[in-house]
Amino acid sequence: MTTIKEIARLAGVSAATVSNVLNGKPGAASPEKRNEILGLAKKLNYTVNVFARRLQKGKSNTIGIITEDLTVFNTPDIVDGIYEYCSEKGYEAILENMRLYKKFGSNFIDSPAHHGLIGKTVKNLLEKQVEGIVYVGYHCHDISYIPRSLPVPFVYAYCYSGNRLLPSVLMDDRKAGYDVTALLIQQNHRNIGVICGPLSSYSTQQRLAGYREALLNHNIQYNDKNVVFGDWEKGSGYELAPVLLKSGVTAVFAFNDLMAGGVVDWCRDHGFRPGVDVSIFGFDNREVSRFYNPQISTVEIPLLGIGRRAIEIVLDTGASGENGTIMLPCMVHERASSKR
């Protein structure tokens, strides 16, 4: 890449003169020399190093984004929310993708290898003079490792710090679990089955807590036989559907849309009419929920909002020291798969 020093050498002037001419400073050089400098800059395809110029002013106007895996369904919208807010505030973003789902699958847990990778990635971003970092989880889990002596604001999105030393932005899983269960109860369902994700999952625990709370508040006894645990995949929804339906439940609340789709498929294959014989609810509002017939009722996670709120905390000096967990509300979408 052509530098100011190279143009200065070819024009026979100082680098300061070239800089002043390129920055449009009046009287920096004679008209002839000015034209010569501009001609050389154009010929050599000189471009201004905006990053270096910002650093000279003491600000990079750049933030870092660390994603556990950019290919997982929730991550692109969160990142889009971060970019959207950065654009509004005149900031740029540097993205580091750790590809953890590709490497470890859905069974990934916090580990020393993960700690080392986080530390290396954070170091890379700090060397690029970012003014803050947002860490985006590919599922909602506790990240116990926190890089020490961080010189910039650091916020977790779609994951959290168990010791609450750094702020986290999450969706309100518990409230969403409550709202879906309460809606099904309002539709006169009293025997509601649940297909959870793995018991170790934070989202499973929170959604299940909301389900139990809604039952309690509507004087319906909790029944262990109505709660089964899957693995977030469509196949587990298919396998677990008969366990619930043959026990007499009139509604199934699956904790993601893939498992809900598995329930719909099992119903189709075994003479049950989704939305007529049994109500089915999913979670995540993924595109697949709208491709089924009937379309699957579901819960929309505020992914864009999570990204925007996380970067807002990073960039807002008044909120950069905000700790604890920030919960954003979800939106329930009632469709044809759930009826009275």
Side-chain angles (χ1 to χ4, degrees), residues 86-101:
C86 284
S87 178
E88 293 171 7
K89 300 299 180 180
Y91 275 74
E92 296 180 6
I94 299 174
L95 177 65
E96 294 274 358
N97 180 30
M98 296 193 293
R99 302 180 65 250
L100 296 183
Y101 185 77

Side-chain angles (χ1 to χ4, degrees), residues 60-82:
S60 69
N61 275 47
T62 304
I63 61 95
I65 305 171
I66 299 174
T67 60
E68 289 189 336
D69 200 301
L70 192 58
T71 65
V72 178
F73 86 95
N74 63 291
T75 306
D77 281 346
I78 295 175
V79 171
D80 190 44
I82 297 171

